[in-house]
Amino acid sequence: ATIAGYDVVYGTASDALTSTATFGDGTNGTVTGLTPSTTYYFAVRAFDSDTAAPSTSDEGNVLSVTTSP
């Protein structure tokens, strides 16, 4: 199957990725509206046009980033 796009799921706890930013089939995107001086955790889900539910990266693939003040 061909990848149709990506969801970036994120949140302020690695076990609570409660927000989603959806991107097309490109490999670049920008997540906006983040709070300064806050640590966020991100994971990526790829989806294709044939699959109703995207696959989520497991917790070993969660990336943590702290925003600038």
Side-chain angles (χ1 to χ4, degrees), residues 3-58:
I3 293 176
Y6 299 91
D7 285 336
V8 175
V9 291
Y10 61 99
T12 55
S14 62
D15 60 350
L17 305 178
T18 56
S19 299
T20 303
T22 300
F23 300 98
D25 60 359
T27 56
N28 295 312
T30 301
V31 176
T32 60
L34 303 178
T35 303
S37 301
T38 302
T39 299
Y40 287 90
Y41 298 85
F42 295 86
V44 176
R45 304 185 297 194
F47 59 88
D48 62 45
S49 56
D50 298 331
T51 305
S55 64
T56 305
S57 60
D58 62 30

